[in-house]
Amino acid sequence: MNLTYPAEVEDFRTEVRKTLAEELPPGWRGIGAIPTREETEQFVLRWRGVLHRRGLLGVTWPVEYGGRGMSRLHQVVLVEELTRAGLPFGRQPLDSTGLKMLGNTLLQWGSDEQKASYLPGLLSGEIRFCQGFSEPSAGSDLASVRTRAGLEGEEWIISGQKIWTSGALACTHIFVLARTDPDAPKHRGLSFLLVPLDQPGIDVRPIRHMAGGEEFCEVFFADARTGASQVVGPVNGGWAVTRTLLTFERGEEAATNPILFRAEFERLADLARQTGAIRDPVIRQRLAASFARVEVMRYLGYRIMTDVLEGKELSAAASVSKLYWSEYHRQVTQLALDVQGLAGLIPRGKGPSRQQRADDPGGDPLSSNAWWQVSLNARAGTIYAGTSEVQRTIIAEQVLGLPRDVRP
Ligand SMILES: Cc1cc2nc3c(=O)[nH]c(=O)nc-3n(C[C@H](O)[C@H](O)[C@H](O)COP(=O)(O)OP(=O)(O)OC[C@H]3O[C@@H](n4cnc5c(N)ncnc54)[C@H](O)[C@@H]3O)c2cc1C
């Protein structure tokens, strides 16, 4: 494990700190301290504009596509500094899907034409992609997708249904995993397509979830169309492209998650002090266990970063990281509800601005609204990007070398 960063990366840290000092409003305490939800949303959009203008979105991307050609360690340092200052990296979940997942995948698999058409627009925010993978009968077993696409002349014609598509209503495009050869074995007959959402063959319907939000949707395709050149990677070779994308989805924040979760833990400890729950020996023990888990997460992050620097394959480590943070978050948010006791049932304060991961840094520890919404959303963390059961199978097979699980 290597705990030091090279000098040029530390120079970049200095640049980021300088940018934050110049661009943040005076007295900045973190995004959670902004008084209302509307003001928070306005700030997030404005802040995304600042990151774009200062060349801090897509720092690892090549200069020709609007990036800065830096290393992944530079990206980690950037997100470390933003997280420490209580700032989001872009607009979530759209930038997670567009920049982190699709942008990075296009750099690996996209044609020159696709990179030139999409990457600058993803950075500016004019092009916004959602993820069209899951279907009503294909989630964990993603390769069973039934949405079909066939080439007719210069276009792919697509029919079928996707579900749980986060942010679809705010997006301009969707990337779709579709069956393009129904006769091939299921992993070999799939293609990865880039599809514009604004067309007559596509109907997007929001789904309201138990925390009250409507971030995810059903997307129906009835002879929807996209150009023949909009397939990423080989035709019928979409599974390999999908695996690349899932690794970006699961593993990218391994080194920076612990900073976010540590800030949330500090707010929980504050809550326990202010409510007096800290005097309860069982609560104290559970707090101590949570602190220990955040520390383990930190060292896990360092280990994964060391692997990245040594150019090792990330896939199984990404699963370890995803399983660890999402299971931790369910436990710690349940503890937050227990610390509040009956008082937590009375809605108070502002809800969180983000629907995924930890609560907003700088938020009021006594906001029961924030804790219960984050706690409900933490239930989703062990499902999206692959459930805990699926991650355990990957770890069992790829890390521990246990015999392969039974496949249906
Ligand atoms: C907040 C949120 C946002 C999401 N956003 C998106 C999005 O933007 N785009 C998108 O495409 N999808 C999205 N999803 C969907 C997500 O990827 C799926 O929910 C997930 O892959 C699980 O699939 P499923 O819901 O069909 O459950 P299923 O696959 O039906 O699983 C049901 C249960 O069975 C277990 N199980 C299944 N197979 C196995 C096995 N082989 N071994 C052991 N246990 C098993 C699972 O662990 C789970 O507990 C989102 C989900 C959530 C919760």
Side-chain angles (χ1 to χ4, degrees), residues 131-134 139-140 163-166 216 380 383-385 387 389 405:
Q131 179 184 34
F133 280 1
S134 305
S140 302
I163 194 166
W164 318 126
T165 319
S166 299
F216 51 31
I383 301 172
Y384 65 74
T387 66
E389 289 76 16
D405 191 22

Side-chain angles (χ1 to χ4, degrees), residues 100-355:
K100 178 181 82 170
M101 297 185 216
L102 182 67
N104 287 323
T105 302
L106 279 181
L107 283 169
Q108 224 162 302
W109 287 95
S111 65
D112 288 346
E113 182 201 327
Q114 288 165 353
K115 289 182 212 166
S117 325
Y118 292 111
L119 295 178
L122 284 169
L123 289 179
S124 71
E126 281 161 84
I127 298 177
R128 298 175 298 281
F129 265 90
C130 55
Q131 179 184 34
F133 280 1
S134 305
E135 297 184 3
S137 55
S140 302
D141 186 15
L142 182 58
S144 298
V145 292
R146 292 188 190 162
T147 294
R148 285 194 175 203
L151 203 50
E152 284 182 21
E154 285 304 298
E155 285 184 316
W156 290 99
I157 311 293
I158 307 154
S159 292
Q161 185 200 340
K162 296 293 174 180
I163 194 166
W164 318 126
T165 319
S166 299
L169 280 174
C171 285
T172 56
H173 291 72
I174 180 168
F175 52 85
V176 176
L177 186 64
R179 190 155 299 285
T180 40
D181 181 354
D183 300 324
K186 68 178 183 180
H187 292 87
R188 297 204 197 127
L190 299 167
S191 299
F192 190 111
L193 301 172
L194 306 173
V195 183
L197 275 171
D198 185 15
Q199 55 169 307
I202 295 188
D203 183 18
V204 180
R205 300 181 201 161
I207 304 170
R208 180 173 282 267
H209 60 66
M210 69 177 176
E214 289 186 341
E215 297 81 38
F216 51 31
C217 302
E218 293 175 290
V219 182
F220 295 87
F221 300 83
D223 291 339
R225 287 158 191 273
T226 196
S229 63
Q230 300 303 305
V231 59
V232 181
V235 173
N236 296 325
W239 187 245
V241 184
T242 299
R243 284 178 54 123
T244 300
L245 186 134
L246 289 176
T247 301
F248 284 121
E249 182 174 10
R250 291 171 186 161
E252 275 292 285
E253 292 95 353
T256 49
N257 265 339
I259 305 171
L260 200 60
F261 287 118
R262 176 64 186 263
E264 184 183 72
F265 174 83
E266 297 295 347
R267 273 198 308 291
L268 174 58
D270 247 10
L271 175 73
R273 278 186 215 105
Q274 294 192 35
T275 56
I278 196 114
R279 289 191 293 275
D280 178 332
V282 175
I283 295 281
R284 287 171 80 88
Q285 220 169 54
R286 289 171 69 193
L287 280 169
S290 302
F291 177 81
R293 289 196 183 105
V294 178
E295 285 298 284
V296 171
M297 210 190 294
R298 186 153 69 90
Y299 285 100
L300 183 63
Y302 287 140
R303 203 167 69 191
I304 290 175
M305 274 319 298
T306 306
D307 284 355
V308 168
L309 286 180
E310 289 171 3
K312 288 191 191 144
E313 172 74 23
L314 193 61
S315 129
S319 291
V320 175
S321 161
K322 201 273 162 171
L323 176 66
Y324 198 86
W325 76 252
S326 59
E327 289 292 331
Y328 160 79
H329 206 212
R330 283 183 75 137
Q331 292 162 11
V332 80
T333 52
Q334 180 59 49
L335 173 57
L337 299 188
D338 294 344
V339 163
Q340 292 174 90
L342 286 178
L345 295 177
I346 302 165
R348 183 183 179 286
K350 188 182 69 140
S353 71
R354 74 177 88 213
Q355 297 299 327

